[in-house]
Amino acid sequence: MKYSYLVILSVIKLLVGVSFTALAQVPNSLDSVRVYLKNHTVQDTNYVRALNVLGRELHSVANPDYAKADSILQVSEQIATRLQYGMGLAKAYTNRGSIYYLTDRQPLAVEYFQKALTTAEQYKLSPRFICGAISNVAAALSKLQQYEKVITMQLRSLRLQEQYNVQPRIATTYGGIGSALRELNKFNEALTYYRQALALMHAGKNISGAAIIENNIGICYDGLKQYDKSLASYKLALKHAKEVEFELLQADILVNIGLALKLSNHPKEGIPFVTQSLAIGRKQENKATMATAYFNLGQIYEELKDYKPAEANLKKALDLAKERGNKEQIANYTQGLADFYGGAKDFQQAYAFQLEKNNRKDSLISVQTSAEVQRLIAHYESEKKEAQIKLLHQQAQLHNEELIRQRFQRNALLIGGTMLLLLGGAVSAWLLNRSRLRRLEEAQRLRRQIAHDLHDEVGSTLSSISLLSGMVNSLIAQKRPEAVERAIQKINTDARQILEAMDEIIWTINPGNDSLQRIALRLQEYAQPLMESKDISFSFQTDPELADIPISMEVRRSLYLIGKEAINNLVKYSEATQATVRFARRDNQLEVLIEDNGRGFDVTQSRERTGQTSMKQRAEAMGGSLDVQSAPERGTRLVLTTAIAG
């Protein structure tokens, strides 16, 4: 888990420092500004400037006091608002945004950086200030992983810098674009922007900014697996961070050095560096830094197969993440423990942590479970499948008996209705009973479907796993390692298929998924990793009007299977570079578009392998239609249309 630092501090220093030294009325250091405020009691613009300097310095020193800084800046904000002092108000907002950024309150950071930008535009502050304010908003959005928005905002800043010939250019704008591209795994493109940022940092003698950029350059080289270059960048970054006594940045760089050594097959050499990072975290009482160090120490010990310290460090990391309530760290560290216990063959613990991870996941984020943990879950759960199938059959038998009993009651009521005065009551009872029977029959049909799916999709695969498992010992005795490896690979593949089949069955029958929005999310989670594996630029769009529209289980299943088949065909055969999936409402019709710019095909020719016949049959069964448009080298456009309620 690489740790990167955005250059937000450099932006804050740049913005808040503007015009203070030039005016020579308000000091620009912590001690001197405290003295100034004791003697200057008039609440004028200079008083606001001094409060902003004090708030800035209190949260950017080695031992920051965020609460006190925030309290002072709130006073500055109130006075600046009363005085209609735009520059003072924008700087108060900027500093408060910085505090929230550094204390992991990113939505608040975005809000206050945006307030600073709006104020700067309203009061027509300098183009340089406005461009820096845009970069601050982008930096906070980056912490929220909204990287496309980050690039859009930073490019807006660059265009304004060029339009107004802002000199020198703002280094953090280039650094922000580099960081967003790096998060999108576009490492070479990121390096281009980072190098421009680094040159500007050196030109401005911004040593802490240069350290941050060198650290991010090292992360890019790690992504490119050029570990000699990454280690050189990290060591240079560490040298700069020590020059300015930026201890928390030193801690982050030390962790990255340890991980680079681990990735380059020298994990033992990485332990002292990560241990130094942990010591800094303890000294600063910074739980985020300590958690990062513990987690990475655990992973290094796991790599060395030293399981006891590995387990201890991973658990400490998770405990600290839970103390801080950091959802991203909790998810990463829980997954790390699941993988650790899987490697240690403690399947029950691995399964427990994997379930905890899945229970914590955001509904809009797909959890990409590792192949190893999938095998662990299959190993842990496979023994339960036959018992589940038997239980379903027993339940079906009990409901058959219940249906017979209910029919007998209905007939008895009909025969007993001899008196005219009781006829109405008898008819009402019969109708009510009939409704109950219909619901029971629907439940019976659903259970038969579940039992059928489990038998077809799970039973045969479990039988295959059982046979292959029995063969392995024989093959080992015959000293046929290649055959053993093939058998084990087949067992792993079958286990993953069981997991996928069970997941689809459970998802299909879950009433909570009876909406078009859930189908769209399910298809997006399925499609995203497949598109990324083929480097296909993927766009997924959903009409907000579809969010609350209910849909039956049968239609939901057909929609999902058609979409899944079409996405599989696109990834396997299209050779596309761009693809779009869009759910839209057209009056009382649902339109699902799946489109690519691939090689296409002749629609007049038989295409049995693409499953077009099966998809069209499913569409017709749900009362809809499927239109496939394609031509060689012209891409493919698939449009599914069906009626919806409301």
Side-chain angles (χ1 to χ4, degrees):
M1 179 181 175
K2 284 291 172 188
Y3 204 106
S4 64
Y5 227 97
L6 293 175
V7 286
I8 190 73
L9 285 178
S10 300
V11 179
I12 303 304
K13 295 255 184 186
L14 172 68
L15 294 183
V16 180
V18 170
S19 80
F20 283 173
T21 53
L23 289 169
Q25 291 179 321
V26 177
N28 210 24
S29 64
L30 184 59
D31 292 335
S32 57
V33 80
R34 280 175 169 155
V35 173
Y36 178 88
L37 283 168
K38 286 181 180 178
N39 298 318
H40 188 95
T41 58
V42 179
Q43 293 188 351
D44 56 7
T45 56
N46 280 342
Y47 190 76
V48 172
R49 293 190 189 103
L51 288 175
N52 283 336
V53 171
L54 181 58
R56 181 196 73 198
E57 293 301 310
L58 281 172
H59 84 265
S60 59
V61 293
N63 295 299
D65 188 340
Y66 295 117
K68 187 173 182 180
D70 195 24
S71 177
I72 289 168
L73 290 166
Q74 288 180 47
V75 176
S76 174
E77 178 186 327
Q78 292 166 5
I79 298 172
T81 301
R82 189 177 71 244
L83 296 174
Q84 291 294 296
Y85 178 33
M87 178 64 80
L89 182 59
K91 288 176 180 176
Y93 285 144
T94 299
N95 273 310
R96 292 190 70 187
S98 172
I99 290 170
Y100 303 139
Y101 177 93
L102 294 171
T103 53
D104 289 329
R105 291 178 281 177
Q106 300 314 318
L108 272 177
V110 172
E111 178 185 342
Y112 275 84
F113 285 145
Q114 184 61 55
K115 283 183 177 181
L117 174 57
T118 302
T119 303
E121 292 173 335
Q122 177 185 347
Y123 284 89
K124 296 184 170 60
L125 301 184
S126 71
R128 185 175 191 82
F129 193 107
I130 292 173
C131 292
I134 293 170
S135 292
N136 283 348
V137 176
L141 287 171
S142 184
K143 279 290 190 76
L144 294 172
Q145 301 180 356
Q146 298 180 21
Y147 303 119
E148 299 293 344
K149 287 185 179 180
V150 171
I151 293 172
T152 299
M153 292 291 290
Q154 297 286 24
L155 289 175
R156 174 186 167 193
S157 175
L158 274 184
R159 284 193 294 271
L160 282 175
Q161 291 176 54
E162 292 168 359
Q163 178 182 344
Y164 291 101
N165 193 27
V166 174
Q167 294 294 339
R169 295 284 194 262
I170 299 173
T172 52
T173 305
Y174 294 94
I177 296 173
S179 294
L181 290 168
R182 189 199 70 227
E183 293 293 345
L184 295 170
N185 294 325
K186 298 180 179 180
F187 299 115
N188 284 313
E189 295 175 45
L191 284 170
T192 300
Y193 284 94
Y194 276 144
R195 288 176 184 129
Q196 293 178 76
L198 185 61
L200 289 166
M201 290 293 186
H202 283 307
K205 297 182 180 179
N206 187 334
I207 305 302
S208 62
I212 292 168
I213 297 298
E214 286 284 7
N215 185 40
N216 286 326
I217 288 173
I219 296 172
C220 285
Y221 280 127
D222 279 341
L224 295 169
K225 299 183 179 180
Q226 298 178 20
Y227 302 117
D228 290 342
K229 291 183 178 180
S230 70
L231 284 167
S233 292
Y234 289 142
K235 288 176 181 177
L236 190 55
L238 186 60
K239 175 177 174 291
H240 290 326
K242 287 180 177 178
E243 288 176 22
V244 294
E245 299 180 351
F246 196 162
E247 288 195 327
L248 288 179
L249 178 57
Q250 292 174 41
D252 301 334
I253 298 167
L254 287 164
V255 164
N256 289 346
I257 292 173
L259 289 178
L261 288 166
K262 174 193 164 190
L263 291 170
S264 59
N265 297 319
H266 298 90
K268 195 169 185 179
E269 296 176 24
I271 292 176
F273 291 97
V274 184
T275 303
Q276 289 179 56
S277 174
L278 179 59
I280 292 173
R282 286 172 176 159
K283 175 185 174 185
Q284 295 280 348
E285 297 182 353
N286 189 297
K287 292 181 180 180
T289 298
M290 292 167 63
T292 301
Y294 276 129
F295 181 73
N296 288 289
L297 266 179
Q299 290 207 314
I300 291 174
Y301 281 119
E302 183 180 356
E303 181 80 9
L304 294 168
K305 301 189 184 307
D306 195 349
Y307 294 121
K308 190 172 182 179
E311 180 183 22
N313 281 290
L314 291 172
K315 284 186 172 180
K316 287 177 182 177
L318 181 57
D319 289 342
L320 283 170
K322 288 179 177 178
E323 280 184 39
R324 297 178 61 242
N326 187 303
K327 293 181 180 179
E328 183 181 359
Q329 280 191 336
I330 292 171
N332 288 335
Y333 298 168
T334 304
Q335 185 67 62
L337 275 162
D339 292 336
F340 165 76
Y341 283 117
K345 306 301 180 188
D346 188 342
F347 300 118
Q348 188 169 358
Q349 285 276 47
Y351 183 58
F353 276 100
Q354 188 62 50
L355 281 181
E356 181 181 347
K357 163 70 183 303
N358 289 352
N359 289 335
R360 287 180 177 274
K361 72 178 180 179
D362 189 287
S363 62
L364 297 179
I365 299 175
S366 172
V367 176
Q368 303 301 320
T369 307
S370 68
E372 174 63 19
V373 176
Q374 287 182 354
R375 288 194 291 272
L376 297 176
I377 295 172
H379 181 89
Y380 185 67
E381 288 290 298
S382 61
E383 296 177 356
K384 302 178 183 178
K385 300 302 185 273
E386 288 294 339
Q388 290 175 349
I389 294 171
K390 290 178 181 178
L391 178 60
L392 287 171
H393 281 302
Q394 289 172 357
Q395 290 175 336
Q397 181 63 34
L398 289 173
H399 277 279
N400 274 329
E401 295 174 0
E402 177 67 10
L403 284 172
I404 293 170
R405 188 178 66 82
Q406 293 289 339
R407 288 192 182 103
F408 178 79
Q409 290 176 351
R410 182 194 64 186
N411 292 335
L413 286 171
L414 288 173
I415 293 171
T418 56
M419 298 181 66
L420 185 60
L421 291 176
L422 298 177
L423 182 60
V427 170
S428 297
W430 178 79
L431 290 173
L432 178 61
N433 207 41
R434 185 178 180 183
S435 174
R436 289 174 179 167
L437 286 171
R438 186 180 297 111
R439 289 197 296 271
L440 285 170
E441 287 171 350
E442 288 173 356
Q444 171 79 353
R445 185 166 59 254
L446 174 60
R447 290 178 182 276
R448 282 202 200 98
Q449 181 64 46
I450 296 169
H452 179 269
D453 289 347
L454 285 172
H455 184 270
D456 288 356
E457 299 185 33
V458 177
S460 60
T461 309
L462 285 172
S463 298
S464 172
I465 290 174
S466 177
L467 290 171
L468 288 169
S469 300
M471 291 171 54
V472 168
N473 287 336
S474 175
L475 293 171
I476 293 172
Q478 296 173 26
K479 296 183 179 179
R480 295 170 59 190
E482 293 180 358
V484 170
E485 183 177 358
R486 286 196 300 272
I488 291 173
Q489 288 175 350
K490 175 61 175 169
I491 290 171
N492 290 339
T493 300
D494 286 349
R496 285 195 296 272
Q497 288 175 352
I498 290 173
L499 284 173
E500 291 170 3
M502 290 297 297
D503 181 60
E504 288 190 7
I505 290 168
I506 292 168
W507 183 85
T508 299
I509 65 174
N510 186 351
N513 295 323
D514 285 346
S515 71
L516 285 170
Q517 184 185 36
R518 298 300 299 173
I519 299 171
L521 286 173
R522 178 78 172 180
L523 278 175
Q524 184 178 12
E525 292 175 356
Y526 178 78
Q528 192 74 46
L530 295 178
M531 299 293 181
E532 290 175 358
S533 70
K534 294 288 187 178
D535 292 326
I536 298 173
S537 178
F538 180 47
S539 171
F540 196 101
Q541 305 162 16
T542 306
D543 190 334
E545 293 185 11
L546 299 174
D548 299 321
I549 294 177
I551 195 164
S552 70
M553 184 189 76
E554 291 81 2
V555 173
R556 172 157 51 90
R557 178 179 172 84
S558 295
L559 272 176
Y560 176 67
L561 291 175
I562 292 170
K564 181 179 176 182
E565 181 72 22
I567 289 165
N568 275 332
N569 291 341
L570 190 159
V571 172
K572 286 182 182 178
Y573 308 123
S574 71
E575 299 179 6
T577 59
Q578 295 179 345
T580 298
V581 175
R582 183 171 66 243
F583 279 66
R585 180 170 185 166
R586 303 282 185 265
D587 296 326
N588 287 332
Q589 297 280 320
L590 167 67
E591 180 182 282
V592 182
L593 168 71
I594 301 175
E595 187 175 25
D596 66 69
N597 67 343
R599 64 181 184 178
F601 61 91
D602 185 351
V603 294
T604 63
Q605 299 297 317
S606 176
R607 303 284 293 183
E608 289 300 324
R609 71 172 181 173
T610 65
Q612 287 184 43
T613 301
S614 173
M615 287 192 288
K616 287 186 176 182
Q617 288 173 349
R618 289 186 186 279
E620 291 169 1
M622 57 192 276
S625 64
L626 183 71
D627 180 33
V628 180
Q629 303 169 15
S630 186
E633 309 305 325
R634 298 294 297 273
T636 300
R637 177 185 175 89
L638 182 150
V639 181
L640 170 66
T641 306
T642 188
I644 55 176

